[in-house]
Amino acid sequence: MAAHGLANNLTEYGDKEFALYLRRSFAKAMGFSNEALDKPIVGILNTYSELNNCHRHFPQLVDAIKRGVWQAGGLPLEFPTISLGEVFLSPTSMFYRNLMALDAEAMIRAQPLDAVVLTGGCDKTLPALLMGAASAGVPAIAVAAGPMLTSQFEGERLGACTDCRRFWARFRRNEIDQETIQVVEGQLAPTPGTCSVMGTASTMACLVETLGMMLPGGASIPAVYADRMRCAEESGKLAVQLIQSQLTPAQIMTRPAFENALRVLQAIGGSTNAVIHLTALAGRLGIRLELDQLDQLAASTPVLVDLKPTGVGYMEDFHRSGGLRVVLQELKPLLHLDVRTVTGQTLGQLLDTPYTFPSWQQVIRPATAPLQAEGALIVLRGNLAPDGALLKRSAATPALLHKSGRAVVFNSLADLAARIDHPDLDVTPDDFLVLQNAGPLGGPGMPEAGYLPIPKKLATAGVTDMVRISDARMSGTAFGTVVLHVAPEAAVGGPLGLVRTGDRIELDVDARRLTLQVPEEELAARRAAQPLPPPLATYGYAALYQRHCEQANLGADFDFLHPPEIR
Ligand code: FES
């Protein structure tokens, strides 16, 4: 029988009995009895950090998980991991997602853990923890932070962080003054929890629940609700049951489960970032997710959820309206129902309960009367994006979806910052703003800079949207006609790096085309004249990142962290 509890993963001294004796004696130094130390161990990966406001309540959340583990007969042992607070990291949290995944995987593999509870929420944390747990192969269950509540400003509802951008845009247009923006700044994030819209954090929580790695209903309970603690306690209990069933992440997160997640992503109008995270997570399990599959699902998946950034509601409204369960019930005929979940039941069994559509609410629509007939995210290809690019159609201005325009190019983030608001910038509302060298390697870390600001002189004249194209990402809380994740990126020689100000670009969403209207001979000449890329970093994590990070369409994971057959 395989070792369990403290006998798991013994330290190597060349004498196993000595190693166990030493470990037990040191564990007793922490005050545990023999009875406690004989129990199976549930490791709780605690991502609390004073540099992560979204996880401010995690001490309480972890206490609740521990209660559940004790009740079910396990020994809960929490340990810290890297935490990624979205707005506290430079150059961007995405640069560190793979580092966090490495940390999680290594510590799950190294320590004596029979199962793990993954506590995460802020954008990259759940993807990183799931990636690590998938690779480690130990039974695992995720507990999300839950969304923040909203607040108010002069009678208007405020929530992070779509309203952060909306008010900042008003400030840039001189519609509100410095004093007002400071008052708003104090009201945007009023409680612990993740951003209160269908941004990346909420999207990923919904997708992790869809994948079967979270307790049903666990994605949307607000962070400060008592139900959030009860959900954590129940998850602790389930972690102990997972030890008995030996149900691993690979048995739950199968290809059909990922197809369900892609479909739900379309239906909830979720964040574009989720495509990268799902691709990376699937890759850990040897499953290649193709962008074209996402696009095909768009054609048969209605958009059902009307939340910001594209709609009107907030996550607390979504939760009160029934949350993900309603979405899954409405999508039921389109889902794979035989996939397993951490509960031990299949998705079909979980949904096989009495259900009536909650017609009293507005934020979730029935499949018979959707918000939009087709999915929110589409994939573009063409000579400007041979390996694909993403556009969130539901967040775009319809009049801009079929258009050709003159490129106004910024060759780096520094160039963008230096020139975008310059009064002499030659730009009109019909131009396409193009940002180069902001991809996985060029950024580095794909900063959320794809939502290029409208040049100030246009913004103050009332322009609110333009076509923007880049190899960067966009915050899940942002909106606009924004083409993202162009692959291959400019920094590795992708055609995006060959665009020059004055070129014509055509965007044709119906045909899924993104075309740089420049003759191939001219592009070849520009390619030949490109300067050599800067030398790779030789120090620390940046050196590892630059040598191994893959392109956006492959999930931007490290190439040595998924099975070779899908490389
Ligand atoms: Fe943490 Fe938005 S800043 S989820």
Side-chain angles (χ1 to χ4, degrees), residues 262 266 275 279 288-300 377-382 385-390 511-513 553:
L262 287 174
Q266 294 283 14
V275 179
T279 305
R288 164 67 63 81
L289 293 188
E290 300 286 356
L291 283 177
D292 293 339
Q293 194 180 357
L294 177 75
D295 201 75
Q296 284 157 16
L297 287 172
S300 57
L377 301 178
I378 60 150
V379 177
L380 301 166
R381 290 187 189 271
D387 291 336
L390 276 187
R512 304 291 198 262
R513 302 300 293 171
N553 59 309

Side-chain angles (χ1 to χ4, degrees), residues 408-424:
V408 174
V409 179
F410 302 90
N411 62 20
S412 68
L413 289 160
D415 184 32
L416 174 71
R419 293 195 297 124
I420 189 75
D421 287 339
H422 199 287
D424 294 339

Side-chain angles (χ1 to χ4, degrees), residues 52-54 84-87 121-123 148 160-161 193-195 201-202 477:
N52 190 343
N53 60 292
C54 301
L84 302 176
E86 186 61 24
V87 300
C122 196
D123 290 14
M148 291 178 205
C161 218
T194 48
C195 287
S202 297
T477 60

